[in-house]
Amino acid sequence: MSDEIILDVKNLSTVITTDRVPVRIVKDVSFQLRRGRTLAIVGESGCGKSVTMQSVVKLVSRNYHITADHVLYRSFRSGAPKEYRLDKLAPYGRVMRSLRGPEISMVFQDPMMSLNPVYKIGDQVIEGLLQHNPGMKKREAWARALEMLKKLGIPAAEQRINEYPHQMSGGMKQRIVIAIAMICDPQIIIADEPTTALDVTIQSQIMELMKQLQTEDRKSIILITHNMGLVAEMADDVAVMYMGRVVEAGPIQAIFENPLHPYTQGLLKSVPVLGMARDKPLIAIPGSTPNPADLTEGCEFAGRCPYCEAACLRGVIPSFEAEPGHQVRCLRSAHGEVN
Amino acid sequence: MPGDAILKLRDAKVWYPVTKGVFRRTIGHVKAVDGISLDIRRCETLGVVGESGCGKTTLGKAIMLLEQITGGSIAADMDGQFRELSSLTTPEKLRYRKMVQMIFQDPYAALNPMKKIYTALEEPLIVQGIRSREEREAILASAMEMVNIPLDYLFKYPHEFSGGQRQRICIARALETAPSVVVCDEAVSALDVSIQAQILNLLRQLQRERHLTYVFIAHDLSVVQYMSDRIAVMYLGKVVELADSTALYENPRHPYTQSLLSAVPLPVLGRRKRRVVLQGDVPSPIDKPSGCPFHERCGKCKEICKTVEPALVDRGGGHLVACHLED
């Protein structure tokens, strides 16, 4: 019932030009987000996961060049679904601006950075409401904001709404950022490392909250993270990114129980898990992440891969379907070798 | 493996005064470390975990003599006899600092960007009074070899290295004076997951080879549990539970440890366990709650918890818990 696709991205690429040198940061990324589900995009810093999302919602600066076969957003808001080709829209045009906020919304990593220190919490929460509902009275917006803060479990919301960001703790600020993202009742929430700056106990509070919002209102969530633990708890589908490419994608069971790409396997094995034997050394991924400007040909992971062959260094490695819905960008899967 | 004590902390306190007005009148104290008693044993890894603001970094700094303790004592085994750190003379402090070294959290901030690696690594040796250049260079060479960085990289600047390499350089700098105790303050939290494992493996290998004692401070419970022999769980400047790493994981006894452990997301499917979700935030260390510091967030709070502060008592087998529910 909830398998309708709400966001369909096909072969999205982003080239960023700095100092006149164009660097491909996102390369032919494709994924689909289902309604009411959570898609996790996993990868290390610099792998292009944030730029991918910025390219989808077009929060980009002038030196970004985005190409795509299509970026399709399907709005289920009123009656018949309405489709938007996000890749065809002007980044800061009227239609795109009307989608950002009421339809697709973002929660950023660092709550200390995403709030303006000189405005009251309430003013920051209602800004989106007033922007997208011309004619709405400020008092009415304020009441809606108060309702939202209460829904997010902020104690003494009547008092908090009049406070400034510095009067709040990190977890509280992140709730405010979520309130700002949720106030226009969006269909998709893109959460970019929403809990990286927070303690584990606060992280679990925030994650419970997002799950609860999802089940109540059938929101779709894109969770960008590097924490495999969070992925296991939250996601329905996973896309693993490395150096601008989706190297493996599939339903959560496939990724955790049958990881096929050497990078995914490495990611899962190199992290200490609570309760694991202490005398066992961790299986580390050798080397370090390359500079994206140095990568020209072949598999991006070849330099660190234990199974690298001559064929891995040439051309673009295609994606193979290992089992229905489980894609792997690795030549070993083409040979039919398993693990 | 763990032997006798090398460092003894007795009711150690670090309080920062909070002042007000033109006369800087003291109106209270931030009790960052508020009475910690424990022994750090030779060749063990003592893990210290807790949320941000619980005082774990301040504890590390107090051990390093980077922060003066304002109460209690820290004593170190120096050539067979325990000396209190506050009574050390300047040359003795120099010797103590040779014996105890630190690895910092952020390898990007811990190296001076204007200086070559050679200069950064040479400095501690000059401070320690190694006059001959040949001798210093021999030590540098062996330190670089120890952390697997080619020798010609000594003449590069920090920006030419990746995060993992920088952390290796910081480890080399900490270990070149041949310390016996190394305080690792969030040594891997700034690194990417694929690099983290390399550094953790290196730290363990060096511990085996050089019989090091680690004080491993981190907020990531999975990492601490993997690295440590014993773990001290801190909350608001106090140790609330201290136990063998496996015992702590399998049988956490303090409600705070239980909720902390249950909050860690596991990268394993189908193990979505029942959560003890904590309500609210850590109270301010300036006006701490009376009684047990954790009672406001504790699900099992009793009347006595609100008034009487529980002591850290051995509940059998070296498992120390500070909780009234254990009485």
Side-chain angles (χ1 to χ4, degrees):
Chain A
M1 122 240 176
S2 60
D3 276 11
E4 307 128 300
I5 287 159
I6 187 161
L7 184 69
D8 186 359
V9 175
K10 184 96 180 139
N11 290 335
L12 176 81
S13 297
T14 305
V15 177
I16 301 182
T17 309
T18 40
D19 296 335
R20 301 211 180 122
V21 187
V23 180
R24 293 182 71 198
I25 300 294
V26 178
K27 303 166 190 169
D28 300 327
V29 166
S30 304
F31 60 84
Q32 291 178 330
L33 174 67
R34 292 176 293 161
R35 196 178 175 201
R37 299 301 182 96
T38 301
L39 167 73
I41 298 189
V42 191
E44 295 175 274
S45 53
C47 75
K49 50 197 196 299
S50 296
V51 175
T52 304
M53 283 308 125
Q54 287 166 5
S55 306
V56 167
V57 297
K58 300 205 152 179
L59 279 176
V60 293
S61 52
R62 206 171 283 167
N63 58 348
Y64 284 50
H65 182 74
I66 304 170
T67 51
D69 287 358
H70 65 243
V71 179
L72 197 68
Y73 168 67
R74 207 171 272 137
S75 172
F76 293 93
R77 189 169 291 281
S78 47
K82 197 174 168 199
E83 289 189 354
Y84 296 90
R85 284 287 298 271
L86 299 187
D87 53 319
K88 298 266 196 244
L89 296 173
Y92 296 98
R94 190 183 55 81
V95 185
M96 197 66 225
R97 289 177 60 171
S98 75
L99 292 178
R100 258 187 247 123
E103 305 280 341
I104 305 174
S105 182
M106 283 187 93
V107 175
F108 295 97
Q109 173 168 359
D110 193 344
M112 334 300 166
M113 305 280 274
S114 32
L115 292 173
N116 189 329
V118 299
Y119 286 99
K120 283 180 185 171
I121 295 302
D123 286 319
Q124 301 193 47
V125 177
I126 65 170
E127 189 186 352
L129 264 184
L130 297 178
Q131 184 75 36
H132 293 289
N133 301 285
M136 181 182 260
K137 290 279 187 302
K138 197 173 168 187
R139 181 175 298 166
E140 189 190 339
W142 201 266
R144 288 265 297 275
L146 192 61
E147 203 179 300
M148 181 56 77
L149 294 190
K150 281 182 181 158
K151 190 170 165 189
L152 294 181
I154 293 175
E158 289 86 354
Q159 183 197 332
R160 288 299 202 176
I161 198 166
N162 279 309
E163 287 184 357
Y164 291 89
H166 73 268
Q167 292 169 289
M168 308 194 140
S169 66
M172 219 41 102
K173 277 187 228 176
Q174 194 59 298
R175 279 166 208 254
I176 303 295
V177 174
I178 293 175
I180 293 173
M182 299 287 300
I183 191 77
C184 292
D185 193 26
Q187 299 300 296
I188 300 178
I189 301 164
I190 301 172
D192 189 354
E193 305 256 13
T195 55
T196 310
L198 306 174
D199 279 317
V200 274
T201 53
I202 310 296
Q203 168 173 288
S204 68
Q205 287 174 7
I206 298 284
M207 284 299 148
E208 293 287 325
L209 190 66
M210 292 191 65
K211 259 191 239 169
Q212 179 199 333
L213 292 173
Q214 182 171 38
T215 41
E216 278 171 12
D217 304 333
R218 263 187 107 193
K219 305 285 185 216
S220 311
I221 297 177
I222 297 181
L223 177 70
I224 303 179
T225 183
H226 62 264
N227 185 337
M228 279 304 210
L230 272 190
V231 175
E233 294 217 343
M234 296 287 294
D236 300 296
D237 298 289
V238 184
V240 181
M241 282 186 79
Y242 185 75
M243 285 289 120
R245 268 189 212 285
V246 175
V247 293
E248 184 158 8
I252 179 114
Q253 287 84 4
I255 300 292
F256 275 84
E257 279 157 21
N258 185 22
L260 292 172
H261 197 281
Y263 179 63
T264 318
Q265 294 171 352
L267 268 189
L268 284 167
K269 273 189 235 156
S270 62
V271 203
V273 180
L274 213 50
M276 77 185 278
R278 277 185 291 137
D279 44 3
K280 210 167 62 178
L282 295 170
I283 301 162
I285 302 176
S288 53
T289 38
N291 182 345
D294 298 339
L295 295 171
T296 46
E297 220 192 347
C299 174
E300 280 78 8
F301 191 60
R304 304 175 75 185
C305 180
Y307 312 105
C308 178
E309 298 166 17
C312 300
L313 303 172
R314 285 191 301 270
V316 174
I317 311 296
S319 198
F320 303 98
E321 186 141 34
E323 47 194 321
H326 184 177
Q327 269 104 19
V328 191
R329 205 179 276 279
C330 178
L331 290 179
R332 291 172 70 236
S333 301
H335 307 161
E337 289 172 38
V338 180
N339 297 319
Chain B
M1 192 169 75
D4 49 339
I6 186 162
L7 279 169
K8 284 183 179 171
L9 281 74
R10 291 291 173 269
D11 199 30
K13 287 178 182 155
V14 180
W15 289 9
Y16 301 103
V18 182
T19 56
K20 192 182 179 183
V22 264
F23 299 110
R24 319 290 287 156
R25 190 161 44 92
T26 304
I27 53 161
H29 287 95
V30 176
K31 297 170 181 173
V33 173
D34 194 16
I36 287 189
S37 304
L38 50 84
D39 287 354
I40 296 165
R41 300 173 189 159
R42 211 173 276 280
C43 298
E44 79 165 348
T45 302
L46 176 75
V48 180
V49 278
E51 291 175 276
S52 51
C54 74
K56 50 191 195 302
T57 296
T58 312
L59 176 70
K61 283 185 174 169
I63 292 173
M64 284 301 297
L65 274 179
L66 292 172
E67 205 68 74
Q68 283 291 345
I69 51 170
T70 49
S73 75
I74 301 180
D77 183 356
M78 292 175 78
D79 307 323
Q81 58 171 341
F82 275 93
R83 297 291 309 276
E84 203 167 303
L85 297 191
S86 50
S87 70
L88 295 181
T89 59
T90 308
E92 283 174 332
K93 273 188 186 163
L94 193 65
R95 251 185 49 232
Y96 175 75
R97 289 201 167 112
K98 183 174 179 248
M99 185 186 119
V100 182
Q101 284 284 329
M102 189 160 185
I103 300 166
F104 294 92
Q105 170 168 12
D106 189 350
Y108 292 85
L111 292 169
N112 186 337
M114 311 288 281
K115 288 188 176 162
K116 287 182 178 150
I117 299 306
Y118 181 90
T119 324
L121 288 182
E122 192 188 25
E123 196 178 350
L125 299 177
I126 297 175
V127 172
Q128 287 299 335
I130 298 172
R131 292 267 168 76
S132 112
R133 189 182 179 137
E134 286 74 37
E135 211 177 313
R136 288 201 301 262
E137 283 182 350
I139 297 175
L140 283 192
S142 69
M144 291 291 271
E145 195 195 322
M146 174 179 79
V147 296
N148 292 323
I149 291 187
L151 208 56
D152 51 327
Y153 283 23
L154 272 175
F155 300 98
K156 291 190 175 196
Y157 287 95
H159 74 263
E160 296 175 80
F161 293 95
S162 69
Q165 284 173 323
R166 281 186 221 210
Q167 197 59 295
R168 284 168 194 274
I169 291 166
C170 292
I171 292 173
R173 181 171 64 179
L175 294 188
E176 64 187 0
T177 64
S180 26
V181 180
V182 180
V183 178
C184 310
D185 185 7
E186 303 271 11
V188 294
S189 31
L191 304 175
D192 265 324
V193 274
S194 74
I195 309 298
Q196 227 182 54
Q198 296 175 7
I199 299 293
L200 291 178
N201 283 340
L202 176 68
L203 284 172
R204 298 190 89 173
Q205 178 206 332
L206 292 171
Q207 179 173 41
R208 271 197 310 275
E209 289 171 7
R210 306 177 148 240
H211 309 292
L212 297 170
T213 307
Y214 287 143
V215 179
F216 197 88
I217 301 170
H219 68 276
D220 188 333
L221 267 161
S222 319
V223 172
V224 173
Q225 201 260 335
Y226 175 68
M227 289 296 285
S228 311
D229 300 304
R230 290 191 304 152
I231 297 177
V233 182
M234 283 186 71
Y235 188 76
L236 275 181
K238 295 211 180 273
V239 173
V240 294
E241 188 161 3
L242 175 67
D244 178 78
S245 171
T246 321
L248 189 90
Y249 166 71
E250 281 168 0
N251 181 23
R253 290 168 70 170
H254 197 282
Y256 178 64
T257 316
Q258 289 165 0
S259 54
L260 206 59
L261 279 168
S262 79
V264 178
L266 294 178
V268 184
L269 285 185
R271 292 220 344 232
R272 300 188 185 191
K273 43 190 177 172
R274 202 174 54 83
R275 275 269 162 83
V276 192
V277 178
L278 279 187
Q279 296 304 312
D281 291 307
V282 185
S284 151
I286 299 179
D287 46 327
K288 285 196 202 175
S290 62
C292 173
F294 186 61
H295 82 256
E296 288 173 354
R297 300 172 80 193
C298 183
K300 300 168 186 164
C301 176
K302 293 192 296 187
E303 222 23 70
I304 184 173
C305 304
K306 292 178 185 162
T307 47
V308 183
E309 189 168 334
L312 188 67
V313 182
D314 194 333
R315 314 281 174 178
H319 197 136
L320 280 69
V321 189
C323 182
H324 288 303
L325 298 168
E326 293 281 332
D327 294 336

